[in-house]
Amino acid sequence: MSGHLHGVAQTTRTDPSRVLEEIKRQTLEQLGGLPGTLYAPIEEALKAESLKGDGRNHQYEDQAALWVLRQQQASHVMAFRQQVGLGFEAFRAPASAVGGLGGSPLQLVGEQQLAFDLDGERLTESLEQRYLRPLEMLQGRLKMLSASIGSPTGINPFGPYRLVKAFISVYAETQVTESLRLRLFREYEHELARLLGDLYGRINNLLATAGYGVGLGAPGAPVRAAEERRERNTLDDVFDTVPHRESSTPMHDYNAAMGGYGGESHAAHGHPGGARAPNYGGHDPSQPVSQADVAAMANELAELRSQLHAWREGLVKSGGLPPAHMPQRSMAPRRELRVDEVVGMASLLQPEPPDAYARALAVSGRLGETIRDQLYDGARRLGFNPDQTCFSAEEDDAIDLVALLFDSLFRNHALQDRARRVYARLVMPYVKVALTDNEVFVKREHPARRLLDAITEACEGNDGETPQDRDLLERASSISQRIVSDYNEDLAVFELAHAELDALLAQHRRRIELQEQRAAKATYGRERLGAARGQADAAVRERIGEARLTQAVADFLATPWRHHMVQVLLRENEDPKRRAQALALGDALVMADRLAAENRGRELADQLLALQPIIVQCLASSGLDDSAAQHGMAGLVRALVTPDNERAEHPLPSSAEVEEDVAEERRLYLAAGTTSANHDPLLAERMRQLEPGDWLRLTNTQGETIAVKVAWSSPLTSRFLLVNRRGVRTLVASAEELATLASVGRLVVGAERTAFDEAMRQVRRHLDRVI
């Protein structure tokens, strides 16, 4: 059964009242429960902060206020649905819209209401910029709808302004703290960013199929579509999709940095897919695909095909295609091969060794040529003359998309050489999938798509060092062999294979989480040790400084006492009395040396007797037993009781050296002048808003790009721990250093959660750039 989609354009218009009611139903169905979804993530974030024990006083107040909100959850949901519904009534009859969302008489505004209004304005502006293109298209269709109703065009009832006003009307009168208010706005923005792209796509197609502005979004405007994608791609160069999650830091102007950097973040959040395929297939798999979904996917496929055709035409004109691969469908003697004939060729080639594809994957851009060469060979074996037949446009599209997809996977994911053969086996089965069911390129629940995601997760960055990693590689390899042997146009093979591999990956994900936690703890321990050493070095430099001391006292301060200070700061930093006592010992030794120099023997003796137990304790903390500590004490006393011992200035201790592995890590990613000295402040502010779970793409000094995740943010230095997909530490860097990396093009914020989505986004950007 073919999966090719075809859009249907209607020239007759459906009753506008029925259309508006359907839009209202879909809007309430998708957005009506939003207030009820905000509290759980905020509660989890507050619990995590309280477990961290970072000392913020507002946590308990936030938790108490959140508990009150949760008790009123049902009423909040009802009030929100009512306000959204009032927006539709105001659109239907703008002149009669009084109260509710339509405005209110002038009056004094309280501080909380003013704060809500200001945050609401910022959120509205952010959403309007983010969804600028779909909102412009929808506004044109709504204008036609209003004209059919016979009323002036009102405010878009499902636009950002109305949705934000509905949100404010629900919460403006509640008793919430400032930080909780910001959390509510942040979570509301996150939920809208997750839902609005799909909602606007559905409504746009609903209006189009109902006859309101049929030509506005038709796939027959590839030039404008390409221009829009190029705009998005330019803005995506630094910021891609970054889902908004709960931040542990209250941010009053949480969108200021995003809006201040040329609008990149707004554009990158334009819809959940950025420059890639929208999540038209992101619905519940148990629910049937609606007509709007089908139309949206058809439009998306048509747009993708127009890109491919323009790309191929460019290759032909530039001579980038070998003569045997030139499209020659216009020549009379050549017959276009039917899809079933090409599928038969692919089935013939499917069980054969994948060496040719493995070699092609090692060279970017060669896979498409290799696939065609192999298919031509299969055609000869089946009795077709390649000089008298050619591929149809749809068959060329399927071949090119599979080739570009696999090339993109290898360019943008850390796949080892061992994984190349796994993917090479899958090339021909995926060509068959693309020929018979092109929904694989736009539908996220497609079984073949999910299997490729799972295989990439198993292989990415996997060098087989541990038994678990080797088991993953072996399972991925065996599954690819099973696909080759069993796939015969039945997608159930992909479903079963994905279920098996995903069960193994679930255990692997838990190990990765533990690995991330260990990396975070190790990094935090290093930071605490470095901070303690820095404070101890500063204390030593302060006491040695320009003072003229005996060699014994200077050595004692630079070694045992410094080590003792580090131990106290690490183990007993919360005890100010112990810290003060340790600092006082250093001051007392400097004073004892001065008394000795002035030959004030009695005072010196009293001082040393008083210091003896503390000095012995200090020496013991360096690992000396009681007898060695007593011996060290005696040597110090001997040096001090001799007044004419030489005293001089002593060199200050150098700062602690950076561990070799950390130094290598920083050389690999922060070399060539990558410092925080000349960073963009706005870009750095955007980096500070990164949160655990955000994905980035990082390029090292050798030009290798890997996906990294923000695993942890240090409460001590505010630096970010970046780990790869195996949970292994990759880099620890400050927001300023990340901003500098982004400004030189070696860091891109935002990466897709799944490999297939990321690969398709890169394919689109590549096609746009080439076109």
Side-chain angles (χ1 to χ4, degrees):
M1 177 178 174
S2 175
H4 294 280
L5 300 167
H6 304 279
V8 179
Q10 289 185 336
T11 56
T12 59
R13 292 184 179 175
T14 309
D15 177 19
S17 297
R18 291 176 55 192
V19 173
L20 191 60
E21 281 302 314
E22 177 61 19
I23 294 174
K24 178 180 177 181
R25 184 192 68 78
Q26 291 195 19
T27 302
L28 289 175
E29 181 180 291
Q30 199 152 354
L31 305 181
L34 274 183
T37 66
L38 307 181
Y39 306 139
I42 297 176
E43 186 175 28
E44 290 177 5
L46 290 174
K47 285 181 180 177
E49 287 182 7
S50 63
L51 290 175
K52 256 197 285 186
D54 55 5
R56 292 194 174 94
N57 295 326
H58 60 74
Q59 290 171 357
Y60 298 109
E61 297 175 5
D62 288 352
Q63 289 172 341
L66 183 64
W67 183 85
V68 174
L69 292 181
R70 297 206 73 157
Q71 304 308 306
Q72 303 170 354
Q73 176 174 325
S75 61
H76 291 163
V77 171
M78 293 301 296
F80 182 78
R81 293 176 65 90
Q82 181 182 13
Q83 293 298 331
V84 173
L86 286 175
F88 280 88
E89 295 305 317
F91 177 81
R92 191 189 303 270
S96 63
V98 180
L101 294 172
S104 59
L106 294 175
Q107 58 183 343
L108 293 176
V109 179
E111 289 187 7
Q112 177 164 305
Q113 179 67 49
L114 181 61
F116 267 96
D117 289 341
L118 291 174
D119 286 339
E121 288 176 6
R122 281 190 286 270
L123 178 55
T124 301
E125 182 181 355
S126 170
L127 293 171
E128 286 177 346
Q129 292 184 33
R130 183 179 302 170
Y131 297 103
L132 181 62
R133 295 294 183 187
L135 285 171
E136 285 178 351
M137 185 175 293
L138 285 167
Q139 188 61 30
R141 298 187 191 280
L142 289 175
K143 192 174 294 185
M144 300 175 74
L145 185 68
S146 296
S148 298
I149 294 176
S151 65
T153 305
I155 298 174
N156 184 342
F158 48 84
Y161 176 79
R162 288 291 190 188
L163 296 176
V164 171
K165 285 295 183 183
F167 176 79
I168 292 174
S169 69
V170 172
Y171 291 101
E173 300 299 324
T174 59
Q175 298 299 318
V176 296
T177 63
E178 180 183 0
S179 58
L180 182 57
R181 184 190 76 246
L182 294 173
R183 292 176 189 275
L184 286 168
F185 269 97
R186 170 62 68 86
E187 194 59 37
Y188 186 56
E189 181 180 15
H190 167 53
E191 290 299 310
L192 288 179
R194 183 175 64 85
L195 298 172
L196 282 187
D198 182 56
L199 176 65
Y200 288 165
R202 290 170 182 269
I203 295 176
N204 190 41
N205 281 279
L206 173 63
L207 288 168
T209 53
Y212 296 94
V214 174
L216 291 176
V223 175
R224 172 167 180 170
E227 289 176 355
E228 292 177 5
R229 286 194 307 276
R230 276 194 292 275
E231 264 183 46
R232 292 197 299 267
N233 291 342
T234 301
L235 297 173
D236 277 344
D237 283 339
V238 173
F239 293 119
D240 289 340
T241 304
V242 183
H244 291 281
R245 276 178 292 279
E246 188 56 40
S247 171
S248 61
T249 305
M251 291 176 291
H252 176 66
D253 190 4
Y254 58 83
N255 276 324
M258 286 187 267
Y261 194 73
E264 285 87 341
S265 183
H266 297 313
H269 289 76
H271 60 60
R276 62 194 175 278
N279 183 17
Y280 295 124
H283 57 275
D284 184 351
S286 64
Q287 299 297 323
V289 180
S290 67
Q291 183 179 357
D293 288 330
V294 174
M297 287 190 285
N299 287 343
E300 188 63 29
L301 282 170
E303 188 177 328
L304 187 57
R305 288 181 187 282
S306 68
Q307 284 182 279
L308 281 169
H309 298 163
W311 171 67
R312 275 200 297 269
E313 288 174 9
L315 288 178
V316 171
K317 291 176 182 177
S318 65
L321 280 177
H325 298 158
M326 294 283 189
Q328 300 182 36
R329 290 179 289 275
S330 59
M331 299 177 64
R334 289 185 176 250
R335 176 182 70 83
E336 288 189 3
L337 292 165
R338 299 193 309 273
V339 170
D340 62 306
E341 292 172 338
V342 181
V343 169
M345 300 172 195
S347 298
L348 175 68
L349 298 167
Q350 185 171 303
E352 296 190 353
D355 298 336
Y357 309 121
R359 289 192 296 269
L361 283 172
V363 182
S364 179
R366 290 294 305 277
L367 185 58
E369 299 176 18
T370 304
I371 293 173
R372 285 184 171 86
D373 286 338
Q374 297 296 312
L375 287 173
Y376 287 143
D377 182 60
R380 292 187 187 95
R381 287 193 245 167
L382 291 175
F384 295 99
N385 186 349
D387 296 329
Q388 297 178 358
T389 57
C390 65
F391 297 120
S392 68
E394 289 190 354
E395 291 157 359
D396 273 330
D397 291 344
I399 293 169
D400 286 332
L401 278 174
V402 170
L404 290 169
L405 171 69
F406 277 72
D407 270 343
S408 178
L409 283 171
F410 266 80
R411 280 198 311 273
N412 297 289
H413 295 78
L415 297 172
Q416 309 294 323
D417 287 341
R418 186 173 176 180
R420 187 177 295 124
R421 196 168 182 84
V422 174
Y423 284 84
R425 291 192 197 100
L426 296 172
V427 167
M428 202 50 70
Y430 274 82
V431 169
K432 287 173 61 177
V433 172
L435 287 167
T436 57
D437 187 2
N438 55 19
E439 283 188 1
V440 68
F441 297 111
V442 292
K443 186 176 180 181
R444 288 189 173 179
E445 291 80 24
H446 197 285
R449 184 170 182 151
R450 296 172 69 192
L451 177 62
L452 198 57
D453 286 335
I455 288 177
T456 305
E457 184 180 350
C459 295
E460 185 174 10
N462 189 346
D463 50 12
E465 285 188 353
T466 67
Q468 294 85 2
D469 286 344
R470 288 193 292 274
D471 187 24
L472 264 180
L473 285 175
E474 290 168 4
R475 189 69 62 89
S477 178
S478 67
I479 282 176
S480 68
Q481 291 173 339
R482 189 187 314 163
I483 294 296
V484 167
S485 61
D486 295 351
Y487 175 55
N488 189 20
E489 301 176 53
D490 184 1
L491 294 178
V493 175
F494 290 94
E495 291 181 356
L496 293 172
H498 171 262
E500 177 186 332
L501 186 55
D502 194 58
L504 184 61
L505 283 170
Q507 304 171 18
H508 183 67
R509 294 183 194 113
R510 287 193 288 272
R511 285 195 296 272
I512 289 176
E513 289 176 5
L514 294 175
Q515 180 78 9
E516 291 176 6
Q517 293 171 13
R518 285 195 291 268
K521 289 178 181 177
T523 304
Y524 187 48
R526 276 178 170 169
E527 287 191 347
R528 290 189 64 231
L529 178 59
R533 285 175 174 172
Q535 293 180 51
D537 288 341
V540 172
R541 285 192 290 269
E542 182 181 346
R543 280 148 187 84
I544 293 179
E546 299 179 357
R548 301 179 65 82
L549 302 172
T550 60
Q551 188 65 43
V553 171
D555 289 346
F556 186 90
L557 290 174
T559 307
W561 182 71
R562 176 186 176 276
H563 182 77
H564 179 62
M565 280 296 305
V566 171
Q567 298 300 314
V568 169
L569 291 169
L570 283 175
R571 298 175 182 173
E572 303 178 58
N573 196 29
E574 299 300 324
D575 187 352
K577 185 176 179 180
R578 287 280 296 151
R579 188 171 182 273
Q581 186 183 39
L583 290 170
L585 172 59
D587 294 331
L589 284 172
V590 174
M591 176 60 70
D593 196 291
R594 189 178 305 156
L595 292 175
E598 296 172 0
N599 203 14
R600 296 157 65 180
R602 182 175 295 278
E603 294 176 53
L604 174 62
D606 293 340
Q607 181 89 327
L608 291 176
L609 287 172
L611 291 177
Q612 180 180 1
I614 305 175
I615 292 174
V616 171
Q617 181 184 4
C618 175
L619 290 168
S621 71
S622 298
L624 301 179
D625 58 19
D626 187 61
S627 121
Q630 292 292 347
H631 182 73
M633 176 69 188
L636 188 60
V637 170
R638 279 195 304 272
L640 289 174
V641 297
T642 307
D644 54 353
N645 266 355
E646 182 183 355
R647 287 173 171 80
E649 294 182 6
H650 298 273
L652 299 176
S654 59
S655 300
E657 294 184 0
V658 181
E659 293 89 341
E660 181 57 33
D661 57 341
V662 177
E664 177 61 29
E665 162 192 303
R666 298 183 72 78
R667 280 195 297 269
L668 184 60
Y669 292 101
L670 297 174
T674 308
T675 66
S676 58
N678 299 316
H679 66 276
D680 184 337
L682 292 175
L683 193 52
E685 181 61 29
R686 174 63 184 86
M687 294 299 171
R688 290 189 190 96
Q689 297 180 26
L690 292 173
E691 300 170 12
D694 287 341
W695 284 94
L696 309 92
R697 290 189 302 282
L698 181 64
T699 304
N700 63 20
T701 52
Q702 279 77 45
E704 299 171 350
T705 300
I706 61 170
V708 292
K709 183 175 76 170
V710 178
W712 174 75
S713 175
S714 170
L716 193 62
T717 62
S718 298
R719 296 193 303 166
F720 297 99
L721 168 65
L722 307 182
V723 299
N724 61 20
R725 291 193 186 270
R726 320 304 294 178
V728 177
R729 167 176 164 152
T730 300
L731 176 66
V732 175
S734 65
E736 291 78 13
E737 289 169 334
L738 294 180
T740 307
L741 281 171
S743 65
V744 297
R746 288 176 43 211
L747 178 74
V748 178
V749 179
E752 294 292 351
R753 290 181 178 276
T754 64
F756 202 109
D757 287 340
E758 177 66 17
M760 286 304 298
R761 191 180 65 81
Q762 294 295 337
V763 166
R764 288 175 173 279
R765 295 185 66 183
H766 169 71
L767 292 176
D768 278 342
R769 289 193 183 105
V770 174
I771 293 170

